[in-house]
Amino acid sequence: MLVYILRRLFYALPILIGVNVLTFLLFFVVNTPEDMARAHLGDKYVTEDAIDNWIEEKGYDDPLFYNSESQGTGSFTETIFFNKSLKLFAFDFGRSDEGRDISSDISDRMGPSLALALPTFMIGVWVNICVALMVLMFRGSRLDRFAVAIFVTLMSISYLFYIIVGQYSIAKLSKLVPVSGFNEGIDAWRFLILPIIIGIIAGIGAGARWYRTLFIDVSGQDFSRTARAKGVSEAGVLFRHILPNAMLPILTGVVVVIPTLFMGSLVMESFFSIPGLGSYMLDAIRAQDFAIVRAMVFLGSVLYITGLIMTDISYTWADPRVRLN
Amino acid sequence: MSITEALRKTEARTVESKELALQVSHLNVVLRHQPDTRILKDVSFQLNKGEVFALVGESGSGKSMTSLSIMRLLPDALKITKGKIQQGDTNLFALTEQEMGTIRGKKIAMIFQDALTSLNPVQKVGDQIAETLKIHTQLAGDDIKKRAIQLFDEVGLPDPEKRVDWYPHQMSGGQQQRVMIAMALACEPDILLADEPTTALDVTIQKQILELVKKLTVSHKLAVLLITHDMGVVRETADRVGVMYKGEIIEEGSCDAFFENPQEEYSRRLINSLPDMDSYRPATDPAPLLKVDNLEVHFPVCKGLLQRVHDYTKAVNGISFSIAKGETLALVGESGCGKSTTGRAILNLEKATGGEIWYNNQKVNTFSRKEMLPLRKKIQVIFQSPYSSMNPRMTVGDIIEEGMISLKMGLSKAEREQRVESLLNRVQLEPEHRYRYPHEFSGGQRQRIAIARALAVEPDLIICDEPTSALDVSIRAEVMDLLLELQRELQVSYLFITHDLSIIPHLAHRVAVMQGGKIVEQGKTEDVLTNPQHDYTRNLLSAVPKVH
Amino acid sequence: MDLAFKPVVLWTDILIFILVGLVSFFIYTLRRNPENRNRWREVFSTKLGMSTFVIIMTYVSVALLDSLHFRTELPAAEGQSSEQVYYNNKVNSVLDLMLGEMGERQERTYSSPFSLKSWNRENIKTETGDTVRDYPELTFGGQHLESPDDQAIDMVLQSFKGIFSGLILAGILIGIHWLLLKRSKSTQPALPWSSAWITFAVIMAVFGWLVTMGNLYHVLGTDQAGNDTLYESLKGIRTGVLIGTLATLITMPIAISLGIMAGYFRGWIDDIIQYIYTTLISIPGLLLIAASVLLFQVWINNNPSYFEVGLEKADAKFLALCFILGITSWTTLCRLLRAETLKISQLDYVQAAHAFGVSHLQIIWRHILPNLSHIILISFVLDFSGLVLAEAVLSYIGVGVDPAMASWGNMINLASTELSREPSIWWNLAGAFVLMFTLVLSVNLFSDLVNDAFDPKTKLEAA
């Protein structure tokens, strides 16, 4: 087991290096720091001095890979590649273009993000599975076809529409909950309940439909027929045979997402002014703060790879056929 | 009054004396959305206690649908329109779905062809038996486990105490089928429906399972419905036989009478499709065309942190044989013995890790893709599955023509077309068929197309990888006859890879028996089959179900 | 006065026509095989398949009509030599011609649907010279009326006129089709053409009504800048359809070539390709897209000289967006194709081809690619709706379509603030939502049918 995890971590390393090199290429080679400075300071009527100042202030004035002016290891460490890219591996994200410490920003904002994303996701999966199971009970009937039509309709509606209309009708018109904002501690639920509900509803269409197809796939397999031939009731077949066998694909979809929940939801957080990582990223994108975007890209990949490893591990208890080897 | 009528009368008397377990009368099944397509037409038969009733027929004849109808587990696409199934005093079609649940598994149990997929892969086999016991009996706690162990013991699983905690994938195919049988017997049912229970198994295992079923039929006074396409299995196991053809039972009778004097033309064809085991092809001894010397094909097994090669799976482990011009060598063995890998290695589709393959005094196993090209004309192949061996998106003409183009036979377009036509004629198909697509043909026809494709490049040697085992019995003989005829005509050699010993005498000059990557015995067909030297060969031979 | 015009060819225009050509060719080749023909028949033998297909085709035609751009010649001004021709800076399309003057009837600011007055109060000078705060009359909306009291009657009459003319046109076209159908003697069972006709008639009636009414009133009101909302939403169709198709056009070659290579050659090629797509997948998609778009924006701002007209700049940005979406979203399809290729390469017919010495390229071309086509097709249709929906989210984040280009995403984004105004402005949201929803829903329903017909798994279930 330990060897297995070690091996997976070992495999993850080249991927992280790849992500690192890719972001480095995008942010420093395709676009030079000078381009960024221009974009920041406004492209017209900008003096060379102002640009140089900006670059120096942010620490983008070093050479890319090799610093011939420095001595010893300095010729490698005093470069953009070392300072801005390699340091990410030590989770040293540096400072944002506005001079704030990114690492502390991230740790402050993870909490609210998770408080919103985790319940949305977990309850969402649970609701989707329940809905799908209920529909499966009426398989082939008119109700089944009706439910599928509803699913397709729900998934054809833009996510933004759910948020806008939900926020407008529930918060603004009926004034049941605050429109937006966030509070520390237990009081946060008043602000979170609406986005969570909207998030779940927005996901039902695609989610329940996916689970329904999955369950139908599994229920068509031979062992379901064996179970019926043993005299197991339809509910028993569903819960003791179909569901455990559907766990594997469900886990693939679910476990890999869990770590990335830390990243929060870009759109939801900004609509409801929740100070999480999602709105942090959105603000960074809108302000063209590439230092933050770079940090978040790296963090996102790390979390995704963690998710992949967790998925593999979770297989081993969901499926006896998969013993780590 | 003829003898047959007399026979029938005596038969009727014996039936009366037996205790009736299940009566199927006038069963009709149609496609739900096309009620004109009748899947079962007025099917009637009865099952008696302590007796095996075999329902034989070819794929698509409706055998499986009959057994699923009894269980009321037909797929949604099918619908029962008429008929009655009487089990004791209960009419099964009159029960509610819930009441039917108390019949399934308790009164009528069922086993299926593919035990691995029919068992729940994520549940321990012991728990799967326990589930049946919990539903239908009063047993609880330790008693259930005890009963499960007892059942495992009864069906001959070794170490039953340990086996109950295993998962299906940890067992062999035969053991999985034993678990299925144990599960079916758990609640002491009156009736056992066995749907091709041994088709997926090797002959030696098949024999054991059939013997077990036979034994249990007597000891538990079971009424068994055995569904099969294998006349040998019927001959050895069944008490009574029903022949099914296109959804109808066309003939029914006691097993002995049936084999002695079949009434219907179709039944006769089924019985005669079994090749004669007593006439052998004489072996000849000319110079070898293909020589395989100490061939090894090993696959690496990787392990550890860096996935270093840890060990090798020795699929083929040092075998030697040779084939002469116009000769057939049969390579016989059970699944996983390495016989197909040998074929692939000769075709250079699998790299030999050791040994040598000589073709006409050329060492071919080290040839590159390009060097191999001229030889590809000489060595061709026919695969087992008539369904996956042809690209569904190409016309038959394109399929046959492909080799002629890629191997640069130097024929013009018109010449190629002419050749395709003559080849189709040669394998008894119509020239017009070249514009059609493979899915429009039956399994036997497709295998003919595959033969035509192989012949297109005028090969000297054809590797036949189980070309008949996916076909229905009556068609098997036709395809084999075609192969024999072509050999006489074109002097082509065959390496005939098969698991079926019964077809060998008819077909092969010489035979090599393979087990675990090694050839344990080889020689002239008559010598090997009449006087086997190796235990394994003897085992194989004794396991083959015989008709005569 | 006869004015000349000068065609304007945008990059996206060229690409969309190439794409339509490719898709038609692809469908044509699929049809050659009888098995595929039967599957298509299965799709179209349902009423739902017919109607949704007609709806999708309507959207595509609108997008194509809106992709034929030109600039009209300006009338020669006084004292200008007649040889010198000046062209209007506003780029029009064939669709604009068909919609009449709908796009040119600009008000000053918001107005609600069918309203005759503006949504905002303004200081108005009355005839007597006093300044009154009231809702000013619209410049165009309902100006043909003699008095505001006639509006109700006029609307009923004009509605009849619009719907009727639409239905007549539809009737003629359906009649021609019916005659053609009667001529061709097909032995195959009849397809449910009537549902296609009904859908077509309804669409034509709605169009007739919209065009008639849209040239008299503002059917869906106007937006902040006074533009007709209906017109803007209709112009959004091109953006929606293009983003859904162009991004996939870029995705397909990458996904297909890499997926097949990985699955067919295996070994180190597979390792490298797997590495590339795992790396790409592991980067949060939205961030990667946002970062790339931002970087491209920086490049455009630093090189303004490449673009002659404003629309060309917007078009370049749009093309870049499609390109980036394509580059970042090929991974899913690539994975699917790799897995399927692995399976197919093991099948006997590919082995047989090897035994015949068929070259790798020929094996891929003749044996593997045709047997992947259903996956490619299904994913093309499935991705389409996802991309249309993604456009809205990207526009919200600020990395979507250029604000100068009409798009549903841009319209929906404004809506969140517009809704909270008093009284709330809902028509922008409604216009964009209805058109987007209809498109996405039709595509989703259609792709379900295609999936059912082409996916071998569902086949087994029915058998």
Side-chain angles (χ1 to χ4, degrees):
Chain A
M1 185 74 177
L2 192 68
V3 170
Y4 178 78
I5 294 174
L6 276 178
R7 200 173 81 221
R8 287 307 313 248
L9 287 174
F10 180 74
Y11 284 156
L13 208 61
I15 292 173
L16 284 180
I17 293 174
V19 171
N20 203 303
V21 170
L22 189 72
T23 44
F24 176 78
L25 287 176
L26 269 180
F27 289 101
F28 293 106
V29 181
V30 176
N31 271 55
T32 59
E34 200 186 307
D35 291 334
M36 273 190 272
R38 261 180 220 285
H40 257 258
L41 301 168
D43 36 352
K44 286 163 193 158
Y45 319 118
V46 138
T47 58
E48 287 298 314
D49 280 350
I51 290 177
D52 287 343
N53 262 338
W54 190 90
I55 291 178
E56 199 185 324
E57 212 176 284
K58 312 294 179 233
Y60 294 144
D61 53 347
D62 291 323
L64 287 182
F65 293 106
Y66 184 78
N67 193 340
S68 52
E69 287 164 29
S70 302
Q71 306 293 316
T73 53
S75 44
F76 294 102
T77 54
E78 282 167 32
T79 57
I80 292 184
F81 184 66
F82 183 83
N83 280 325
K84 302 290 174 195
S85 270
L86 285 185
K87 277 191 178 170
L88 291 177
F89 280 104
F91 292 100
D92 177 357
F93 296 126
R95 292 186 171 275
S96 71
D97 288 349
E98 276 169 13
R100 292 173 57 90
D101 182 33
I102 297 178
S103 301
S104 79
D105 272 352
I106 288 179
S107 56
D108 285 350
R109 284 166 167 266
M110 252 182 193
S113 267
L114 208 58
L116 172 60
L118 195 65
T120 312
F121 181 71
M122 286 307 188
I123 302 173
V125 168
W126 184 77
V127 168
N128 291 346
I129 291 179
C130 290
V131 171
L133 285 176
M134 254 164 21
V135 173
L136 199 68
M137 293 274 206
F138 300 96
R139 197 181 153 197
S141 71
R142 198 167 286 211
L143 193 73
D144 182 32
R145 280 197 292 278
F146 179 70
V148 174
I150 296 278
F151 294 158
V152 176
T153 311
L154 283 178
M155 65 186 267
S156 304
I157 297 172
S158 168
Y159 189 52
L160 292 175
F161 187 81
Y162 282 107
I163 300 179
I164 294 172
V165 172
Q167 194 174 35
Y168 178 72
S169 58
I170 296 180
K172 280 179 192 154
L173 287 188
S174 32
K175 298 195 169 51
L176 291 174
V177 288
V179 174
S180 64
F182 191 70
N183 237 348
E184 290 295 320
I186 199 75
D187 191 37
W189 75 266
R190 288 194 302 124
F191 295 96
L192 288 176
I193 184 110
L194 182 59
I196 288 178
I197 290 174
I198 292 177
I200 292 169
I201 292 175
I204 281 187
R209 183 163 166 268
W210 189 75
Y211 287 118
R212 176 183 167 273
T213 337
L214 176 68
F215 292 145
I216 286 181
D217 268 6
V218 178
S219 72
Q221 286 173 18
D222 287 351
F223 57 79
S224 309
R225 188 182 55 186
T226 312
R228 289 193 189 101
K230 286 198 292 187
V232 180
S233 66
E234 205 50 33
V237 175
L238 208 56
F239 287 102
R240 283 201 297 274
H241 297 272
I242 296 179
L243 204 53
N245 276 286
M247 268 326 269
L248 205 65
I250 292 179
L251 279 176
T252 326
V254 168
V255 178
V256 77
V257 180
I258 291 173
T260 57
L261 291 178
F262 280 102
M263 301 284 286
S265 156
L266 235 62
V267 179
M268 197 65 95
E269 285 179 16
S270 95
F271 261 102
F272 290 92
S273 316
I274 288 160
L277 283 176
S279 50
Y280 186 58
M281 281 186 279
L282 192 65
D283 293 343
I285 292 168
R286 286 184 172 157
Q288 309 210 345
D289 193 328
F290 290 122
I292 297 177
V293 175
R294 230 166 35 228
M296 294 306 289
V297 164
F298 187 75
L299 185 67
S301 322
V302 171
L303 291 173
Y304 178 80
I305 289 166
T306 318
L308 282 185
I309 297 175
M310 279 166 59
T311 311
D312 285 351
I313 294 170
S314 65
Y315 274 7
T316 54
W317 60 260
D319 189 339
R321 284 166 297 183
V322 183
R323 293 275 172 243
L324 303 177
N325 47 33
Chain B
M1 186 165 120
S2 69
I3 306 164
T4 45
E5 267 174 78
L7 268 173
R8 270 196 203 145
K9 278 201 171 160
T10 46
E11 184 196 311
R13 232 172 287 132
T14 45
V15 166
E16 274 158 29
S17 65
K18 294 252 166 115
E19 203 181 332
L20 180 70
L22 187 90
Q23 175 76 49
V24 175
S25 26
H26 305 291
L27 182 63
N28 279 282
V29 170
V30 297
L31 277 182
R32 192 175 291 276
H33 296 295
Q34 296 162 17
D36 296 336
T37 317
R38 293 170 70 188
I39 305 296
L40 295 182
K41 300 169 199 162
D42 265 336
V43 171
S44 307
F45 60 88
Q46 62 178 52
L47 302 180
N48 301 322
K49 287 192 175 162
E51 197 179 76
V52 176
F53 176 67
L55 204 51
V56 271
E58 300 186 340
S59 49
S61 61
K63 304 168 299 202
S64 293
M65 292 310 136
T66 310
S67 69
L68 288 174
S69 303
I70 297 173
M71 281 303 234
R72 281 180 45 188
L73 285 173
L74 279 177
D76 288 341
L78 301 181
K79 204 175 118 190
I80 297 167
T81 48
K82 223 180 89 187
K84 196 173 152 191
I85 293 177
Q86 193 86 20
Q87 187 265 324
D89 300 329
T90 35
N91 176 4
L92 295 186
F93 291 163
L95 299 178
T96 64
E97 188 55 30
Q98 207 176 357
E99 287 165 336
M100 195 61 208
T102 61
I103 302 278
R104 293 185 195 128
K106 174 133 180 78
K107 300 282 180 204
I108 311 174
M110 194 162 180
I111 55 179
F112 301 95
Q113 173 176 348
D114 192 346
L116 178 61
T117 58
S118 297
L119 290 167
N120 186 342
V122 303
Q123 211 177 23
K124 290 175 184 167
V125 286
D127 292 345
Q128 298 191 41
I129 290 189
E131 190 180 16
T132 322
L133 292 169
K134 272 180 205 156
I135 297 170
H136 299 299
T137 64
Q138 306 297 318
L139 294 177
D142 271 354
D143 291 341
I144 288 186
K145 193 165 181 179
K146 265 185 216 149
R147 173 84 177 124
I149 293 172
Q150 183 203 338
L151 282 164
F152 272 20
D153 197 37
E154 203 170 334
V155 296
L157 279 167
D159 271 340
E161 289 87 358
K162 259 194 244 157
R163 286 289 191 288
V164 289
D165 287 328
W166 281 21
Y167 289 97
H169 71 276
Q170 292 169 296
M171 301 178 154
S172 68
Q175 288 176 338
Q176 287 160 3
Q177 199 55 278
R178 282 172 200 269
V179 171
M180 283 295 290
I181 295 173
M183 204 153 78
L185 294 178
C187 303
E188 307 260 316
D190 302 329
I191 298 154
L192 177 68
L193 310 178
D195 189 353
E196 305 261 12
T198 58
T199 310
L201 302 174
D202 284 326
V203 270
T204 44
I205 314 288
Q206 161 168 303
K207 190 179 163 76
Q208 295 166 13
I209 296 286
L210 289 176
E211 274 166 7
L212 175 67
V213 170
K214 194 86 186 146
K215 196 183 91 191
L216 294 169
T217 310
V218 179
S219 63
H220 286 63
K221 287 209 77 182
L222 273 173
V224 178
L225 174 67
L226 178 70
I227 290 169
T228 182
H229 67 274
D230 189 333
M231 296 309 280
V233 170
V234 176
R235 184 73 178 125
E236 299 216 327
T237 327
D239 299 302
R240 284 187 306 122
V241 187
V243 179
M244 202 146 191
Y245 182 69
K246 290 191 175 163
E248 266 178 295
I249 293 189
I250 55 169
E251 184 169 356
E252 200 194 323
S254 83
C255 194
D256 297 329
F258 173 76
F259 276 95
E260 267 162 40
N261 190 7
Q263 295 302 300
E264 296 284 328
E265 168 60 28
Y266 179 73
S267 314
R268 268 196 289 279
R269 253 173 57 210
L270 276 185
I271 295 172
N272 294 335
S273 69
L274 285 172
D276 204 347
M277 282 285 270
D278 301 327
S279 66
Y280 294 96
R281 280 189 92 176
T284 46
D285 242 344
L289 179 72
L290 177 92
K291 218 177 115 206
V292 171
D293 193 19
N294 210 16
L295 177 72
E296 282 179 9
V297 183
H298 293 180
F299 298 111
V301 179
C302 301
K303 248 189 181 170
L305 188 61
L306 292 172
Q307 291 290 294
R308 264 205 296 260
V309 177
H310 180 262
D311 199 1
Y312 290 93
T313 309
K314 294 169 180 165
V316 178
N317 198 12
I319 64 170
S320 310
F321 59 83
S322 63
I323 303 172
K325 193 162 174 55
E327 187 191 46
T328 302
L329 172 74
L331 197 56
V332 193
E334 293 184 308
S335 51
C337 72
K339 55 190 194 300
S340 288
T341 314
T342 309
R344 291 170 48 82
I346 295 169
L347 286 163
N348 216 347
L349 295 177
E350 201 79 71
K351 273 277 164 239
T353 46
E356 290 165 0
I357 299 167
W358 293 83
Y359 181 84
N360 254 349
N361 302 322
Q362 270 179 296
K363 190 175 164 193
V364 299
N365 55 320
T366 50
F367 274 8
S368 70
R369 211 182 147 79
K370 215 173 157 188
E371 286 170 314
M372 193 66 198
L373 269 184
L375 270 176
R376 296 238 176 261
K377 256 180 271 187
K378 301 290 163 206
I379 311 177
Q380 266 311 317
V381 59
I382 301 167
F383 291 102
Q384 169 176 5
S385 163
Y387 298 95
S388 70
S389 69
M390 265 167 278
N391 187 343
R393 282 164 210 272
M394 280 164 77
T395 60
V396 168
D398 285 342
I399 289 171
I400 296 175
E401 216 179 30
E402 185 171 38
M404 294 189 241
I405 299 172
S406 65
L407 291 175
K408 304 195 177 61
M409 301 274 287
L411 298 173
S412 70
K413 200 170 181 328
E415 283 172 315
R416 283 202 306 266
E417 263 175 39
Q418 209 187 341
R419 193 159 161 71
V420 168
E421 278 183 27
S422 68
L423 281 166
L424 282 173
N425 266 329
R426 187 65 207 82
V427 297
Q428 293 143 30
L429 290 170
E430 304 292 319
E432 292 81 50
H433 284 159
R434 69 176 188 277
Y435 301 114
R436 300 232 207 124
Y437 286 83
H439 72 108
E440 299 171 63
F441 295 91
S442 70
Q445 286 175 316
R446 288 190 213 200
Q447 216 55 313
R448 289 167 191 279
I449 299 170
I451 293 171
R453 168 174 69 179
L455 289 177
V457 295
E458 300 173 335
D460 295 333
L461 169 68
I462 299 181
I463 292 169
C464 307
D465 191 352
E466 307 244 15
T468 56
S469 51
L471 301 177
D472 281 325
V473 271
S474 59
I475 297 159
R476 247 179 236 186
E478 290 172 23
V479 171
M480 279 193 297
D481 286 342
L482 177 64
L483 284 172
L484 285 174
E485 219 177 288
L486 291 169
Q487 183 165 52
R488 273 194 292 275
E489 224 169 275
L490 306 168
Q491 279 296 301
V492 29
S493 316
Y494 294 130
L495 173 64
F496 203 94
I497 297 168
T498 183
H499 69 276
D500 190 351
L501 274 171
S502 63
I503 58 174
I504 289 173
H506 183 58
L507 201 74
H509 300 100
R510 287 188 304 121
V511 61
V513 182
M514 225 175 147
Q515 186 196 20
K518 290 197 153 111
I519 289 182
V520 294
E521 185 170 358
Q522 64 176 317
K524 291 179 183 162
T525 309
E526 188 165 6
D527 296 348
V528 174
L529 294 196
T530 50
N531 184 19
Q533 298 301 310
H534 196 275
D535 281 347
Y536 181 69
T537 320
R538 272 196 286 275
N539 265 341
L540 273 182
L541 273 172
S542 66
V544 176
K546 288 172 201 69
V547 183
H548 304 292
Chain C
M1 190 169 54
D2 207 14
L3 286 177
F5 64 90
K6 172 183 167 188
V8 177
V9 182
L10 299 176
W11 271 108
T12 47
D13 296 345
I14 302 175
L15 286 174
I16 186 73
F17 281 103
I18 292 179
L19 185 74
V20 169
L22 281 179
V23 171
S24 323
F25 175 74
F26 182 60
I27 289 171
Y28 171 75
T29 53
L30 277 183
R31 271 183 60 97
R32 273 201 349 227
N33 185 317
E35 209 177 342
N36 279 323
R37 218 164 34 222
N38 287 339
R39 286 171 178 173
W40 277 117
R41 194 155 250 291
E42 200 176 310
V43 172
F44 287 109
S45 64
T46 56
K47 288 181 188 154
L48 193 64
M50 272 291 182
S51 331
T52 49
F53 185 71
V54 171
I55 296 174
I56 294 168
M57 277 301 122
T58 313
Y59 272 87
V60 173
S61 335
V62 169
L64 289 179
L65 287 174
D66 204 10
S67 296
L68 296 166
H69 289 104
F70 60 88
R71 284 156 76 181
T72 47
E73 186 191 320
L74 287 175
E78 291 283 327
Q80 193 180 294
S81 77
S82 52
E83 272 102 80
Q84 189 78 12
V85 180
Y86 289 95
Y87 292 99
N88 198 334
N89 236 5
K90 191 172 181 319
V91 178
N92 276 316
S93 72
V94 175
L95 180 72
D96 295 331
L97 286 183
M98 292 176 65
L99 294 179
E101 294 179 345
M102 209 189 276
E104 283 147 28
R105 297 149 46 90
Q106 191 159 21
E107 307 293 345
R108 254 177 305 182
T109 181
Y110 293 119
S111 67
S112 56
F114 291 113
S115 166
L116 302 180
K117 295 190 167 175
S118 177
W119 179 84
N120 267 347
R121 265 181 225 243
E122 277 176 37
N123 290 333
I124 303 172
K125 281 225 166 76
T126 56
E127 283 153 19
T128 54
D130 305 327
T131 317
V132 192
R133 241 187 118 62
D134 198 2
Y135 301 104
E137 287 198 0
L138 294 178
T139 335
F140 294 100
Q143 276 311 298
H144 64 292
L145 296 175
E146 293 193 350
S147 100
D149 306 331
D150 298 341
Q151 197 191 358
I153 300 168
D154 181 65
M155 274 172 64
V156 174
L157 283 177
Q158 296 291 349
S159 299
F160 270 118
K161 193 180 139 199
I163 294 176
F164 195 64
S165 49
L167 281 179
I168 286 181
L169 190 58
I172 294 169
L173 290 173
I174 291 171
I176 294 172
H177 185 230
W178 182 75
L179 284 176
L180 284 177
L181 267 188
K182 253 184 94 178
R183 277 264 193 97
S184 68
K185 287 183 189 98
S186 172
T187 48
Q188 300 265 27
L191 293 171
W193 285 111
S194 57
S195 48
W197 292 335
I198 292 171
T199 318
F200 184 67
V202 170
I203 291 173
M204 289 306 284
V206 170
F207 256 107
W209 185 73
L210 286 179
V211 173
T212 317
M213 298 301 268
N215 278 303
L216 300 171
Y217 301 93
H218 296 293
V219 177
L220 278 171
T222 51
D223 66 8
Q224 189 170 24
N227 296 316
D228 188 272
T229 302
L230 174 66
Y231 176 73
E232 293 289 308
S233 330
L234 287 175
K235 292 292 270 186
I237 290 180
R238 176 179 182 266
T239 315
V241 171
L242 252 67
I243 209 156
T245 47
L246 286 191
T248 7
L249 181 70
I250 291 153
T251 312
M252 291 290 163
I254 308 178
I256 294 172
S257 53
L258 291 184
I260 290 181
M261 267 164 64
Y264 180 77
F265 291 109
R266 284 177 283 174
W268 60 271
I269 297 180
D270 187 22
D271 288 343
I272 290 178
I273 291 169
Q274 277 200 67
Y275 169 70
I276 294 174
Y277 72 62
T278 322
T279 307
L280 263 184
I281 292 173
S282 76
I283 300 176
L286 267 181
L287 268 185
L288 186 63
I289 294 167
S292 317
V293 172
L294 286 180
L295 292 171
F296 186 75
Q297 234 153 7
V298 170
W299 182 82
I300 285 191
N301 288 341
N302 290 340
N303 303 284
S305 54
Y306 288 115
F307 312 102
E308 197 185 330
V309 206
L311 189 63
E312 284 183 0
K313 187 168 139 188
D315 186 62
K317 261 182 83 174
F318 180 65
L319 192 59
L321 179 67
C322 294
F323 191 77
I324 290 163
L325 280 174
I327 289 281
T328 48
S329 62
W330 57 270
T331 45
T332 334
L333 179 60
C334 182
R335 259 207 305 205
L336 275 179
L337 292 180
R338 174 185 168 270
E340 193 64 22
T341 311
L342 274 176
K343 246 186 276 168
I344 294 176
S345 319
Q346 294 308 310
L347 286 182
D348 288 345
Y349 62 82
V350 176
Q351 297 298 328
H354 281 299
F356 279 116
V358 182
S359 67
H360 290 309
L361 211 64
Q362 281 289 322
I363 291 183
I364 290 174
W365 182 248
R366 291 166 66 108
H367 294 279
I368 294 187
L369 197 56
N371 287 293
L372 293 174
S373 57
H374 67 280
I375 298 185
I376 298 171
L377 179 81
I378 292 170
S379 101
F380 181 83
V381 191
L382 277 182
D383 283 358
F384 180 87
S385 51
L387 285 164
V388 175
L389 291 175
E391 187 264 330
V393 174
L394 290 177
S395 297
Y396 174 76
I397 294 171
V399 292
V401 175
D402 192 275
M405 228 172 143
S407 94
W408 298 325
N410 286 335
M411 292 172 76
I412 291 180
N413 290 336
L414 295 172
S416 60
T417 45
E418 287 172 353
L419 266 185
S420 50
R421 291 214 161 167
E422 206 52 55
S424 43
I425 295 162
W426 50 267
W427 47 89
N428 262 322
L429 179 67
F433 172 74
V434 169
L435 281 178
M436 186 165 166
F437 177 69
T438 316
L439 175 63
V440 175
L441 183 64
S442 319
V443 173
N444 278 341
L445 290 172
F446 188 71
S447 73
D448 256 15
L449 293 173
V450 172
N451 199 15
D452 286 350
F454 280 83
D455 193 355
K457 237 194 258 166
T458 47
K459 287 264 141 239
L460 283 180
E461 201 189 323

